[in-house]
Amino acid sequence: MDLLGAGVPTALAVSSQIAIGTSNGLVLVFGAGQALKWCLSSVAAGAKYGPVSALSFNVDCTRLLCAFSKGQITMWDLTNGKLLRSIDSAHMPDAGIVSVRFTDDRTMAVSSDTRGAVFEMKFRHLIGKRTCESQCLFSGVRGGICVVEPLRMQNFIPDFVDGVVQIVAMASQNRAVIVAVRPQFKIVHFQDLSGDSGSFPSLAWQGLSMKTGSSMAQPALAIAKDQTIRIVQVFCEDADDVKVSDFQEVRVSFELLSISWVYPNTMIVLDVHEVAHVLDVNSGEELEFIDLTDIGFVYDVNICDCSTERGSPEIGSLVMKRLCSQSFVTSDGQLFILGSKGIHVLMLRSWSDRLDLLVRHGCYDAALDLAMSFYDGTAKAVLGLTGSKDKRRDTVIVKVISLLDSFVDLSMTRFSPSHGKVELLETHYQKVVSVCVETCLHVRKLDFLFGRVYEKFAEDVIAKDVFLECLEPYILKDELKHIAPVVMKDFLVHYESKGMLSAVDACIVHLDITNLDTKEIIDHCWEYRLYDALIYVYNRGLHDYVTPLGRLLSRLAQSLETESPLTKDHAQLGNKVLVYISCCLCGRSYPLDDLPSDLVIPVRDGVLECLAVDEVDEHGKSGKNFPHLRTLVDFGAREFFNVLELAFDVDDLEMDKRQSIVDKILEMMVEDTKFTATQFGALFTFLARQMGRHDRSITVDTVLFDRVLESLCAAKENLRHEECQQALIELLDTDHLNNFERNRLIAHAESAHFFRVCEKLYTLNREFDMVLPCYWNDSARQGITFKYILENLSGTSLTDVERAKIRVKVIENFDRLVKINSRESAKLVLLGYIGDLRQVAKQLMKKEAELFSFLHNVYEFHSNNPETVDFVVKDLEGEPAVLEKYIEMMCRKSPEEIVGFLKSNEGYRLEETMDICQRYQVIDAVVYLKEEAEDFEGAFDILLQKLQSGLDAMDRNGAKVAAAERANDVIVQFLQKNSFRINSSQRELFWFSNLKAIMTAQENLRLLLKASREKLYAGCAVDQAKKDFSTSNGISRGLESGVRLTNGGTILAYDEALQSLNKMMHRVIDAMMTYFPMQLILQRVLSNPAYVSGTFGELKDLLLGVLDSTVYETTLINTCALLANKDIHDRLTSLVGTASRGVFPERGRCRLCSVSTAMVHEKESVVCFQCGHSYHYACLSDASALAELPEGQRVWKCMQCDRRFRPGALRPRKMSESVTSSALSSVERQTQVSSFKAVRKSLKSPSKFQMLLQLKENPEGGRAPRLVHCERFGLRVTAPPPPP
């Protein structure tokens, strides 16, 4: 191009030839061999018409349309390179051509320009003259067309020849339109386009046949804009019937620039970042992408550069930025991309090429997976695989076999590990075998698997073993049901050598044995005890269901005779036999599936006959031994009878066969004494359930059943107790036991501990009191004993005599009930169901544990429900011995609860109780009792002694301070509570004794601390030690300085103890200030030797504490006074405002006489209320409208609002006091107190002043007089006096 001076490429067209337009107006046409065939036009024409903007071949590639950016169009003959037409009038002058396209009709083309207009061009050749007629399809006035794409059916249906219907698709920025140009112009479809306003639409046609149901492809149009691709399908039945239907919508995650079909269902799209994406249309899945930014993608920007300003600004900007329809072209499955330096071709590989590429890279696993997707028809973008489904699969199978053969060869040689452990090699072979088996199963080529593949693995011993072991999971999952006889033989030999015959047993039952040697398999199964396989071979191979059962039962009988207990193998044999019998009797095939319908009855009858077979002695007589039944009962009676029960539930099992098997079992077990009670229990449960059936299918001889019941009840071993009991209960619900004596049944049930059976029998006899032992003797049902008692004693179904018997039974065994649940027992007594509390408590006196538990729950229930049971608990106060016994037990078990009990209960004797508490050293209880006995001195002595013990412990070890602090708090609380109950001398003695004990301990600790420090100073330099101890961390500094301080820890402990004593002393002094003057307290404190000789530092904390208390109380008093003054001020302000407010009558008439109040005599008065109602004074007097207030005062009341007025209560605003005046001249209110109450009542919450008044009490215990009641509080505003 540089040699020709063509400039840069601007446009591209591809058919059987390739045409490239350039910026200098030249068109280069290349043939199939990429040789330059024609150089059309000239540089001069380019200078005149501008760059080439669009190119288009006709159907047979004999004509080429060339459009220029300044509006000219030329047609060239590609057979000789001659110019046929030069068209300059098809579009408006100076409108650049954006697109030009031939249609299927060789004489017709469509084009669009930068104005957004679309023109149809018809070519004529008449009498040696070539002409072109243009017709405007869209003017672009209402929205310029951005892209035009005519439907060319011959692109995807080569044999299609039809020039009657010509369809053109075009799209503007907001709408896509499909029009039929011929035979007549008609819009057949339009669709609005959404998305970013700056995105450019793109159109592409393709033939699809997905939804038509026919093999013939129908045209489909892809419309792309922004991130959405919409596909519509066009159906053209005839020239006048063109229909369009929506086909699919695909959404992508990038902004689209151009789209193009490469194959049906496969599309290549270009995004705005010049990345090409391969999409599967059906799924919308992105298969691959490639970055094209390096190829110098060519955009059609020269069109707008050369077009005039008269073009559409909207289209011009889009073309400038986004138009690339002449650079992104597909043909015959290839994508041609025009770059600045050349043409780049992209194409999708065929399905076989894709597989070969993976093989060349050694990715056999991926190649086989891809081949399987081709086989299943799930692969995307499949090229070259044609024909019907079966034909395509056959083609793929050939390729798969070839791949698999190569894969196995390489896996055994080049891919195999050359060194390392054997486990590494086995792992490698396992992966290879898994791939081979799964692939051959998938394509159903087992002959290749057990032929060529197995032969290669058999060449290596390790590979062969791995191959055989890898077959097992596929067999067990029923994926592999056929194995070649040679492979099966090697399979058995290998697993026998490995001792893994159980795996063979499990595998054989999943195989189709038609290809196996039945006799050989049976012999192997007996030899290696493969019982499942044996049954399977007999059933499926020989259709024999009885022979294996008899042989297996005989082997099980031999094991039972020789082995005790059974080995694991023989136990498994017994279980398999039971399952096999169950399957046969229920119409199932062992171990899976169902029996054929024609075999169900014969198999069941044969199995029952086999079970009931009897031994015959040498004389030909039956021995009534029934060996098979005996074997099954000996192995597992319960399991065997469960199997029979399942079989008896089958509806079509004859009655006589059921009865026959039951009779033989009874005959066998009743006459033989070797059977255990467990076996009899299983038999009894089975018989009871069968006798209890609604159809009564089984009848049992009464004597035999009684013997079974006796054997069961007389047994001492652990049976399946509940199961037998439930069976007997179900039997009682029927009439089968009516012939049995009920008392005898009760005796049997009691001996067997069938408590629920006993309950049922006693209930039938209406012996409800005897039911109670059935509950409390049954460990599983003890908890519901109380529910039964309550239901019967509170219900009406029992007579008075029956309820009395229950009460007697309960009282006689009340200790047993307490052991079961003491809380529920207490509720029975407290709620009045059983006796009285005193009687029950006296009965339990000899059993301390039960008495304590019972009384503990009695008082706990009383504390939670005091009003309900208070009178019942009070009755116990008449038995002080019981209470004292309970207190004694509390001293042993829960001494911390004694004080609370003593405070909340009465009836105990003080002296005896005090002796008990002293005996068990419950000090708190002793103090409380002495306090109750008004022995305050004794109580205080005990508390002081306890405090002194705590202080002594502090002296011995300064760290023990908690006990002393607790003892001091108890003494302070004791003295605060009783200071008003003792005389002044005792009060002074007690308080100051407590204070003295603390101060004495302080003095002792100071002396100990001083001695310790002196001892410490003696062991080191005096100056250094003093310097160290002058700070708060002197001990640690002394240690850091290297001095060995042996008693440093003791000094720290003494310091902490001394601080605790100071806190205790402050606590006592704060409490004493309520009862003693501060001067007296300070005098006693300062007279103590510890403080007389002490320094000011030792008194500092004490004096500061006293000052803090004084400041606190002063601040509290001032704050209360401030709150009271503010509250009084607020209320007085509100009161003055209310009293000063004027009153206006609503109507000018008296509410009683309806006479106007405006015209009255001068001496007459009118009474007006704040509610607005007015009355004559005389009318109101006659109506006696006076109300008495609690203070004894009388006030007027409004007759209209009378129902809302309550004497003695504070009135609302609408019921305020009346105001009298002479002709409404003045307003007076009643008294200050009532007005103040009215204002306070109108508020939603009490004032702070009111709360302070309610909290403040005078020294005598009453409330202080209210401030508002003082004489100086009145405002001297009164209402007119009431009438005499």
Side-chain angles (χ1 to χ4, degrees), residues 36-80:
L36 179 63
K37 187 175 182 181
W38 303 107
C39 179
L40 307 177
S41 189
S42 63
V43 176
K48 180 179 179 181
Y49 300 144
V52 177
S53 59
L55 297 170
S56 178
F57 290 104
N58 66 350
V59 174
D60 56 2
C61 202
T62 59
R63 300 288 186 269
L64 174 67
L65 282 176
C66 178
F68 294 87
S69 59
K70 291 185 179 181
Q72 283 73 20
I73 300 176
T74 59
M75 178 184 290
W76 299 85
D77 186 350
L78 297 181
T79 60
N80 53 26

Side-chain angles (χ1 to χ4, degrees), residues 451-518:
R452 176 68 175 162
V453 175
Y454 182 66
E455 290 174 359
K456 292 184 178 181
F457 276 92
E459 295 174 359
D460 185 274
V461 177
I462 298 177
K464 179 181 178 181
D465 293 344
V466 172
F467 183 93
L468 295 173
E469 292 177 7
C470 288
L471 298 179
E472 180 184 349
Y474 298 99
I475 297 174
L476 296 178
K477 290 187 292 186
D478 290 330
E479 296 177 1
L480 181 61
K481 299 185 73 68
H482 300 276
I483 297 181
V486 176
V487 179
M488 186 64 193
K489 181 178 179 181
D490 292 343
F491 185 79
L492 290 173
V493 172
H494 170 70
Y495 273 83
E496 179 186 356
S497 63
K498 295 289 185 179
M500 301 165 58
L501 291 174
S502 59
V504 178
D505 194 14
C507 289
I508 290 178
V509 299
H510 291 272
L511 293 174
D512 184 358
I513 62 172
T514 55
N515 296 327
L516 303 178
D517 187 345
T518 305

Side-chain angles (χ1 to χ4, degrees), residues 994-1174:
N994 185 23
L995 184 61
K996 181 180 179 182
I998 297 174
M999 290 191 296
T1000 303
Q1002 284 180 320
E1003 182 180 1
N1004 295 335
L1005 272 178
R1006 287 195 183 97
L1007 294 176
L1008 291 174
L1009 183 60
K1010 182 178 179 181
S1012 299
R1013 286 179 174 175
E1014 291 176 352
K1015 184 178 180 181
L1016 182 63
Y1017 292 151
C1020 62
V1022 176
D1023 295 338
Q1024 180 64 34
K1026 288 184 178 181
K1027 181 179 178 181
D1028 292 338
F1029 279 98
S1030 63
T1031 60
S1032 58
N1033 57 348
I1035 296 297
S1036 60
R1037 289 193 176 185
L1039 292 174
E1040 292 172 359
S1041 63
V1043 181
R1044 188 167 181 265
L1045 305 179
T1046 56
N1047 58 346
T1050 304
I1051 294 176
L1052 290 177
Y1054 285 162
D1055 282 338
E1056 293 177 0
L1058 192 58
Q1059 293 176 6
S1060 299
L1061 287 174
N1062 292 336
K1063 294 179 182 179
M1064 294 165 56
M1065 184 175 178
H1066 293 162
R1067 169 89 168 89
V1068 174
I1069 292 176
D1070 289 342
M1072 291 175 64
M1073 290 172 62
T1074 307
Y1075 309 102
F1076 303 101
M1078 180 56 64
Q1079 297 85 350
L1080 179 61
I1081 298 174
L1082 291 176
Q1083 180 183 357
R1084 291 293 186 93
V1085 171
L1086 296 177
S1087 64
N1088 187 276
Y1091 290 96
V1092 170
S1093 60
T1095 63
F1096 175 75
E1098 297 173 346
L1099 295 174
K1100 178 180 177 182
D1101 292 339
L1102 175 63
L1103 296 177
L1104 289 178
V1106 173
L1107 291 176
D1108 288 342
S1109 300
T1110 305
V1111 172
Y1112 170 75
E1113 293 182 357
T1114 303
T1115 304
L1116 181 63
I1117 294 173
N1118 293 336
T1119 302
C1120 292
L1122 181 62
L1123 292 174
N1125 293 333
K1126 186 178 183 304
D1127 203 29
I1128 292 171
H1129 178 269
D1130 293 341
R1131 295 301 178 263
L1132 287 177
T1133 302
S1134 176
L1135 182 61
V1136 170
T1138 302
S1140 303
R1141 186 177 301 163
V1143 179
F1144 181 78
E1146 293 180 355
R1147 296 170 56 187
R1149 296 181 180 276
C1150 177
R1151 291 286 180 167
L1152 293 178
C1153 65
S1154 299
V1155 177
S1156 175
T1157 57
M1159 300 179 64
V1160 296
H1161 194 269
E1162 293 182 358
K1163 295 184 177 180
E1164 292 185 5
S1165 297
V1166 174
V1167 178
C1168 182
F1169 294 88
Q1170 284 191 346
C1171 58
H1173 301 150
S1174 57

Side-chain angles (χ1 to χ4, degrees), residues 937 940-941 944-945 947-948 951 968 971 975 985-1001 1068 1072 1076 1084 1088:
E937 185 175 356
F940 178 76
D941 291 341
L944 187 61
Q945 183 179 1
L947 173 62
Q948 192 63 50
L951 295 175
N968 181 64
I971 292 179
L975 294 176
S985 59
Q986 286 182 317
R987 184 187 307 129
E988 182 176 351
L989 176 63
F990 294 165
W991 278 106
F992 285 103
S993 297
N994 185 23
L995 184 61
K996 181 180 179 182
I998 297 174
M999 290 191 296
T1000 303
V1068 174
M1072 291 175 64
F1076 303 101
R1084 291 293 186 93
N1088 187 276

